[in-house]
Amino acid sequence: AQKVTQAQTEISVVEKEDVTLDCVYETRDTTYYLFWYKQPPSGELVFLIRRNSFDEQNEISGRYSWNFQKSTSSFNFTITASQVVDSAVYFCALSEGSNDYKLSFGAGTTVTVRA
Amino acid sequence: AAGVIQSPRHLIKEKRETATLKCYPIPRHDTVYWYQQGPGQDPQFLISFYEKMQSDKGSIPDRFSAQQFSDYHSELNMSSLELGDSALYFCASSLRPLGGGASNQPQHFGDGTRLSIL
């Protein structure tokens, strides 16, 4: 069963628009970690943000922000004032102690930012 | 800062050949993970090592084997290659706290090895 669901397959926006990526996860662990990774066309996986299950405080880091809600098992990610360089595939991932902390990825959301 | 190093970056092989992918984790990281990402797919976990011992195994074919050496680098050995093995192979490393408890460190990925089977 898919542990991480990213319902949006593709999102296309015009530069400077905000983009919010949805992520819903499933776990029975009480301690777990959630991540967002970015994969640009060049192929590498770039770590963006991490949240642990005990900290629901939502923060902003530059143009990135996230909304972690345990009650709905969601970990949404927002890019504010998008730029063309933000065009990439974005993966939400879950790491569980009961699963040796390996990452379970969602299917990814392709974000295209048009100039 | 030093990152995860993977080699080679690109590899072209023919069916039934063998391939060896190498991964050098971030210094002092004790855990290595291998992932396979097929075209248009999300990365899938293959195998992991903690302190040179296999710690978990995912959907890794029997034709594949891996190990972590005393210097913590890891190698993924692939034999009897098939067309379906064409993929991007990622290695990631992290550091676990003493006692092997919950890690608050993210996995940092290498740039990947793009394997093409002809």
Side-chain angles (χ1 to χ4, degrees):
Chain A
Q2 191 74 11
K3 289 176 175 285
V4 180
T5 301
Q6 294 179 251
Q8 303 147 309
T9 304
E10 296 183 27
I11 297 177
S12 181
V13 298
V14 176
E15 213 169 14
K16 298 183 183 177
E17 288 185 352
D18 295 350
V19 180
T20 294
L21 308 180
D22 298 334
C23 174
V24 175
Y25 63 92
E26 182 180 333
T27 181
R28 293 182 178 180
D29 284 21
T30 55
T31 300
Y32 54 91
Y33 300 86
L34 294 161
F35 302 82
W36 278 96
Y37 284 87
K38 172 184 178 181
Q39 187 172 42
S42 49
E44 70 270 22
L45 279 167
V46 180
F47 164 74
L48 296 177
I49 56 174
R50 177 193 78 247
R51 216 73 195 135
N52 72 55
S53 53
F54 295 114
D55 186 358
E56 286 191 75
Q57 183 179 353
N58 296 308
E59 295 183 14
I60 298 174
S61 176
R63 294 187 299 110
Y64 299 151
S65 63
W66 51 93
N67 186 351
F68 174 32
Q69 293 192 2
K70 288 178 72 172
S71 60
T72 56
S73 297
S74 65
F75 185 52
N76 298 337
F77 174 67
T78 298
I79 304 171
T80 302
S82 62
Q83 301 173 2
V84 172
V85 293
D86 295 327
S87 296
V89 180
Y90 290 81
F91 290 100
C92 179
L94 168 69
S95 171
E96 304 163 283
S98 64
N99 242 342
D100 196 45
Y101 307 110
K102 63 178 175 283
L103 292 173
S104 298
F105 287 86
T109 299
T110 300
V111 173
T112 302
V113 181
R114 309 185 307 275
Chain B
V4 178
I5 306 297
Q6 289 188 247
S7 67
R9 290 295 308 277
H10 303 273
L11 189 58
I12 299 175
K13 291 286 185 178
E14 296 192 354
K15 287 191 300 183
R16 293 180 289 278
E17 286 192 321
T18 61
T20 296
L21 310 184
K22 297 185 178 182
C23 169
Y24 295 86
I26 291 172
R28 293 189 301 280
H29 278 194
D30 52 19
T31 306
V32 167
Y33 302 82
W34 285 96
Y35 295 86
Q36 177 192 57
Q37 185 180 25
Q41 305 293 314
D42 55 286
Q44 295 291 317
F45 170 74
L46 291 177
I47 195 167
S48 60
F49 294 88
Y50 169 58
E51 282 293 342
K52 294 158 279 185
M53 298 287 289
Q54 181 181 308
S55 55
D56 199 4
K57 197 172 182 179
S59 49
I60 182 170
D62 292 340
R63 300 177 288 108
F64 294 6
S65 65
Q67 57 182 323
Q68 188 178 30
F69 295 85
S70 58
D71 64 351
Y72 292 97
H73 95 271
S74 178
E75 294 184 4
L76 177 65
N77 299 293
M78 311 160 73
S79 62
S80 302
L81 289 168
E82 302 173 355
L83 293 177
D85 297 328
S86 294
L88 196 52
Y89 290 83
F90 286 105
C91 170
S93 75
S94 67
L95 175 66
R96 298 194 191 193
L98 290 176
S103 172
N104 62 357
Q105 297 297 317
Q107 291 183 25
H108 291 277
F109 284 79
D111 287 344
T113 293
R114 190 171 296 278
L115 175 64
S116 299
I117 310 300
L118 303 180

